[in-house]
Amino acid sequence: MAKVFDKGLVINILSLLAYRGASFIFPLVTLPYLARVLGVEHMGLLALGLACVMYCSTISDWGFNVYTTKDIAHHRDDPARVTQLFWSTFNAKLLMGCSTLSVLLLATWFRPQWHHLFFIVLANSTVLFGGLFSFGWLMQGYEKLGKTAIISTIGQFCSIPLTFLLVKGPDDTWLAALIPGLTMIISALITLVFVVRMRVIGFYRFEPAEIWQRIKDSVHVFLAIFGANMFNNINVLILASVTSTYMVGLYNGADRLKKAANSLPEQIGNAFFPRVSFLFHRDRAAAIASTRKSISFSFLISLFIVLFTFCFADLIVRILLGPEFHESANVLRIAVCGFIFGNVSYPAGLQILIPHGLARQRMYVMLAAGLINLPVCGLLAWQFGAIGAASSLVLAEFLVFAGVVWLMAKHGILKEYLARDPAAVLETSQGENA
């Protein structure tokens, strides 16, 4: 059986944690300052603007960060195919990102009640372009994230002094939205140099048919991610529509702490994904062993975070957000409970359902959970404010978890991943099929 856990995978986990986790961990350093300088109301306004741009980013990504990563990991010994995958993905992300951002900017400018969001959205749109040129999906497909992790970490670190220097009061909320995007763009441009030096990408090509094929291939992953956003980012918008920006500010404070806490368990699954994709058609037993380790690590770390948060949420909120956000402590306690379900169902979806050809079924599960969340969040947020929105989020995470387990059981996959000796189960299944 192929080696599952090695030095390269450990480096990849740590690199991916720095590459993706820095976007949550470093802002956590400035969070106490922003919470006190902007106040609950303007923290809520900032959260609304960031949530709007997040939907543009979701459409721009279109599942490419998952589907193209898998394809590049599978074809990384074929430079011609990698070149085709790279340029078709880049062009598709560029076209969809610019289109959706244009619509959002026009909507916030011409609709009077949204006009106050225009400058926040415009400033934070730099995140969209920074993500476009980061090429994390390419580096992840090659399991080479060390240099880009360092670059990203340095870029995120630069946001700390910029925040203290530029953001002085509520009128600087747009600057708080601009800084993350500027650091992402700088990091992305440096990353581009390393991509060129890898010499795995050929000259620029624009192939409409291939771009359309990329979009069609990734649509199931996109709809699954969009479904997840219907119980992640959209809860902020629902909360704003039925309560106030003050309540959104409380929710946003807890949500930022939650995302920072989830950096490590979430990135473990992402780091294992290219390894599992590479092994799946070469050594199925090794792929299963890799997935089991990934999910076990994620679950145990998530459980520790939940227990720690229940004990120390009040202290964490008082130190990082300030006394004004004291009501965010209970919101945080509830929100982190979703880790127990989400950090099992998310890696299971990537590493089990998608390789087994169940991307469409995974999409249905995510969409169903997202659609159920909409009325539930509306009702709970109306009745209980930020705590209600967080409770709805946890319910949606549980529904996704239950759906993923049901799919695995229905298609006879679950027994392979729960067996003590997956190789023996695979041999039995292959003998029955023969």
Side-chain angles (χ1 to χ4, degrees):
M1 186 172 72
K3 195 172 183 180
V4 173
F5 204 81
D6 55 23
K7 182 180 178 181
L9 183 58
V10 173
I11 292 174
N12 201 42
I13 292 173
L14 295 176
S15 299
L16 190 56
L17 176 62
Y19 184 68
R20 299 271 180 86
S23 62
F24 296 130
I25 294 174
F26 280 123
L28 192 63
V29 177
T30 59
L31 184 59
Y33 177 76
L34 287 176
R36 290 164 173 80
V37 169
L38 299 182
V40 178
E41 289 281 350
H42 280 81
M43 282 290 284
L45 190 61
L46 178 63
L48 286 177
L50 300 187
C52 291
V53 175
M54 181 61 69
Y55 275 97
C56 291
S57 297
T58 300
I59 295 173
S60 177
D61 289 342
W62 196 261
F64 300 131
N65 292 349
V66 173
Y67 206 92
T68 301
T69 293
K70 178 180 73 69
D71 283 352
I72 287 176
H74 184 65
H75 296 285
R76 59 190 179 196
D77 296 326
D78 183 355
R81 180 57 179 155
V82 169
T83 294
Q84 191 175 45
L85 290 169
F86 177 86
W87 287 119
S88 59
T89 300
F90 175 80
N91 290 326
K93 286 170 66 74
L94 178 63
L95 290 171
M96 291 191 292
C98 290
S99 300
T100 53
L101 179 61
S102 299
V103 172
L104 178 60
L105 289 174
L106 288 172
T108 53
W109 179 259
F110 288 107
R111 192 160 184 173
Q113 58 267 45
W114 293 352
H115 190 70
H116 58 291
L117 285 175
F118 173 81
F119 293 104
I120 295 176
V121 170
L122 181 62
N124 195 243
S125 65
T126 50
V127 170
L128 187 67
F129 295 101
L132 177 66
F133 288 95
S134 68
F135 304 123
W137 42 273
L138 174 70
M139 307 301 288
Q140 190 178 352
Y142 277 93
E143 298 189 69
K144 293 182 178 180
L145 286 170
K147 292 180 179 179
T148 52
I150 295 173
I151 296 168
S152 177
T153 303
I154 293 173
Q156 292 291 336
F157 180 79
C158 291
S159 66
I160 297 175
L162 287 175
T163 299
F164 290 125
L165 287 172
L166 299 179
V167 182
K168 300 297 183 181
D171 292 338
D172 297 326
T173 303
W174 69 276
L175 285 171
L178 175 66
I179 291 169
L182 288 179
T183 57
M184 279 188 67
I185 289 175
I186 294 171
S187 299
L189 291 176
I190 300 174
T191 301
L192 182 60
V193 175
F194 287 101
V195 171
V196 172
R197 289 182 177 178
M198 285 174 64
R199 297 185 182 277
V200 296
I201 306 300
F203 291 108
Y204 178 77
R205 55 201 295 178
F206 186 86
E207 300 174 320
E210 182 63 24
I211 293 171
W212 178 241
Q213 187 62 47
R214 280 284 91 196
I215 293 173
K216 289 197 299 181
D217 287 344
S218 303
V219 68
H220 297 140
V221 178
F222 163 72
L223 290 175
I225 295 172
F226 188 79
N229 280 331
M230 282 199 289
F231 55 83
N232 280 318
N233 299 311
I234 206 169
N235 282 16
V236 172
L237 303 179
I238 294 174
L239 189 62
S241 66
V242 298
T243 58
S244 63
T245 53
Y246 176 82
M247 197 61 67
V248 174
L250 294 177
Y251 183 88
N252 180 44
D255 188 60
R256 288 193 173 209
L257 295 175
K258 183 201 78 171
K259 288 179 178 177
N262 200 34
S263 296
L264 177 57
E266 183 180 49
Q267 300 317 319
I268 287 175
N270 287 331
F272 272 85
F273 177 54
R275 175 66 57 89
V276 172
S277 298
F278 182 76
L279 291 174
F280 189 79
H281 297 291
R282 295 168 174 81
D283 189 338
R284 185 73 65 85
I288 292 174
S290 183
T291 297
R292 284 164 51 159
K293 283 184 170 62
S294 168
I295 294 176
S296 297
F297 291 158
S298 296
F299 176 77
L300 290 175
I301 294 171
S302 299
L303 184 60
F304 172 79
I305 292 172
V306 170
L307 295 175
F308 183 86
T309 303
F310 263 81
C311 294
F312 300 105
D314 293 295
L315 179 63
I316 294 169
V317 168
R318 186 165 63 251
I319 293 174
L320 295 179
L321 298 179
E324 191 179 3
F325 286 80
H326 70 278
E327 294 179 69
S328 291
N330 287 331
V331 180
L332 179 62
R333 285 189 176 95
I334 293 172
V336 297
C337 291
F339 291 177
I340 296 175
F341 308 114
N343 287 330
V344 172
S345 61
Y346 179 71
L350 288 183
Q351 300 172 31
I352 301 175
L353 297 186
I354 291 178
H356 280 87
L358 297 174
R360 182 188 294 271
Q361 290 83 347
R362 174 177 177 262
M363 172 197 72
Y364 291 144
V365 167
M366 303 287 278
L367 279 178
L371 291 172
I372 291 172
N373 173 73
L374 295 178
V376 172
C377 181
L379 178 61
L380 293 180
W382 176 53
Q383 290 291 324
F384 305 105
I387 289 178
S391 301
S392 181
L393 172 64
V394 175
L395 174 62
E397 295 278 15
F398 171 75
L399 292 175
V400 173
F401 168 79
V404 168
V405 173
W406 175 76
L407 283 175
M408 291 176 62
K410 178 183 177 182
H411 292 273
I413 302 171
L414 188 60
K415 61 182 180 181
E416 297 177 2
Y417 287 83
L418 294 180
R420 288 188 176 182
D421 186 0
V425 175
L426 286 171
E427 289 177 5
T428 302
S429 300
Q430 291 170 357
E432 292 175 354
N433 293 335

